Amino acid sequence: MRAMLLAASGPPLRAADVPPPAIGPGQVLVRVRACGVCRTDLHVADGDLPATKRPLVLGHEVVGHVVRVASDVEGLEEGARVGIPWLAWTCGACRFCRQGRENLCPRARFTGYHVDGGYAELAVADARYVLPLPDALGDAEVAPLLCAGLIGYRSLRAAGDAERLGLYGFGAAAHLVSQVARHEGRQVFAFTRPGDADAQRLARDTGAVWAGDSTAAPPEPLDAAIVFAPVGELVPLALRAVGPGGVVVCGGIHMSPIPSFPYELLWGERVLRSVANLTRRDGEEFLRLAPAAGVRPKIRPYPLADANDALDDLRRGRLTGAAVLVVDDAAREC
Ligand SMILES: [Zn+2]
Ligand SMILES: [Zn+2]
């Protein structure tokens, strides 16, 4: 099969023909139709996160059809359309797993990080961790829901019942959260890189009542803010933008250092927290909610072979919406 490989020496990814992966007990083989490109892929490729296996196939927003099922798997058949998210495996025995917080399992393994992901024609997944996908969205369109959407959803829940919600960094995750927040009757205030007119337009198009530069103050105090951009300087700005009792949620897996800030920004029972990974329950809830909320991802498709271009466009802030690698039928015949 064709795969884009991350070598120990780092990016760019290298196109290669590799043997198709074999499935073990409890696993399914999935023919990949589309795979979203997430900022976490950049953090893995660029060495911001501890190195894992190499060569590695990135990609944890994997959409495809099951083509082989291990004999001990129940409830999944060949032909089923499934999503393979970031959470690939958890131990099921630690206190976090037993408390329904498998996203914090210290032994958790992640797709496109500890195990190969979806920048390839085929991918293997533990059948217990794949997610059913809503029929209303096509393969490429649904891909960004699997991480950007899911982490956004978990961040939104962590923000509580905030009526006025700030989103810092308006990319793949924020443009999906914005649509869910609007559906829930919240007001979204979008903060982008200063002068990023395209992102501010996307924000207004996807439900934001206000869009402006991240350095600007919102027109009124916020009840909560989610910081999606991996920029630590935004955290004090977000704390300043929320009123007493407000919550600031950091939604990314990696962030540049947070500068020190005066205690008065946290005073008034403001809460600063992060969101890590996802649980299967998050996945099931969000993938039910998204079609009901009328969520329409704005995607930019790239052929699988152009994965480096997609990563580069994300790295340089040249994307509006979400990049998705598409594995076309013609490529698959080769
Ligand atoms: Zn565990
Ligand atoms: Zn991700």
Coordinates of all heavy atoms in Angstrom, one line a residue, residues 37-41 60-61 86 146-148 151 253, ligand 2:
V37 N -6.0 16.4 8.6 CA -4.7 16.8 9.1 C -4.9 17.7 10.3 O -5.5 18.8 10.2 CB -4.0 17.6 7.9 CG1 -2.7 18.1 8.4 CG2 -3.8 16.7 6.7
C38 N -4.3 17.3 11.4 CA -4.5 18.0 12.7 C -3.2 18.6 13.1 O -2.2 18.2 12.8 CB -5.0 16.9 13.7 SG -5.1 17.6 15.4
R39 N -3.4 19.7 13.9 CA -2.2 20.4 14.4 C -1.3 19.5 15.2 O -0.1 19.6 15.2 CB -2.6 21.6 15.2 CG -1.4 22.5 15.6 CD -1.8 23.8 16.2 NE -2.3 24.7 15.1 CZ -1.6 25.4 14.3 NH1 -0.3 25.3 14.3 NH2 -2.2 26.1 13.3
T40 N -1.9 18.5 15.8 CA -1.1 17.5 16.6 C -0.1 16.8 15.6 O 1.0 16.4 16.0 CB -2.0 16.5 17.3 OG1 -2.8 17.2 18.2 CG2 -1.3 15.4 18.0
D41 N -0.5 16.5 14.4 CA 0.4 15.9 13.4 C 1.6 16.7 13.2 O 2.7 16.2 13.1 CB -0.3 15.7 12.1 CG -1.6 14.8 12.2 OD1 -1.7 14.1 13.2 OD2 -2.4 14.9 11.3
H60 N -4.9 10.9 12.6 CA -5.9 10.4 13.6 C -7.3 10.9 13.4 O -8.1 11.0 14.3 CB -5.3 10.6 15.0 CG -5.1 12.1 15.3 ND1 -3.9 12.7 15.0 CD2 -5.9 13.0 15.7 CE1 -4.0 14.0 15.3 NE2 -5.2 14.2 15.7
E61 N -7.6 11.3 12.1 CA -9.0 11.6 11.8 C -9.3 10.8 10.5 O -9.4 11.3 9.4 CB -9.1 13.1 11.5 CG -8.8 14.0 12.6 CD -8.9 15.5 12.3 OE1 -8.3 16.0 11.3 OE2 -9.5 16.3 13.1
W86 N -8.1 9.6 17.6 CA -6.8 9.7 18.3 C -6.7 8.6 19.4 O -5.6 8.0 19.5 CB -6.7 11.1 18.9 CG -5.6 11.5 19.8 CD1 -5.8 11.8 21.2 CD2 -4.2 11.6 19.5 NE1 -4.5 12.1 21.7 CE2 -3.6 12.0 20.7 CE3 -3.5 11.4 18.4 CZ2 -2.2 12.2 20.8 CZ3 -2.1 11.6 18.4 CH2 -1.5 12.0 19.6
L146 N -13.4 14.1 13.7 CA -12.8 13.0 14.5 C -11.8 13.5 15.5 O -11.4 12.8 16.4 CB -12.3 11.9 13.6 CG -13.4 11.0 13.0 CD1 -12.9 10.2 11.8 CD2 -14.0 10.1 14.1
C147 N -11.2 14.7 15.3 CA -10.3 15.2 16.3 C -10.7 16.7 16.6 O -11.0 17.1 17.7 CB -8.9 15.1 16.0 SG -7.8 15.7 17.4
A148 N -10.6 17.5 15.5 CA -10.9 18.9 15.7 C -12.3 19.1 16.3 O -12.5 19.8 17.3 CB -10.9 19.6 14.3
I151 N -12.3 17.2 20.1 CA -11.6 18.0 21.1 C -12.3 19.3 21.3 O -12.4 19.8 22.5 CB -10.1 18.2 20.7 CG1 -9.4 16.9 20.6 CG2 -9.4 19.2 21.6 CD1 -9.2 16.2 22.0
I253 N -2.7 20.1 22.5 CA -1.8 19.1 23.1 C -0.5 19.7 23.4 O 0.3 19.2 24.3 CB -1.6 17.9 22.2 CG1 -1.1 16.7 23.0 CG2 -0.8 18.1 21.0 CD1 -1.1 15.3 22.3
Ligands
ZN2 ZN -5.9 15.9 16.5

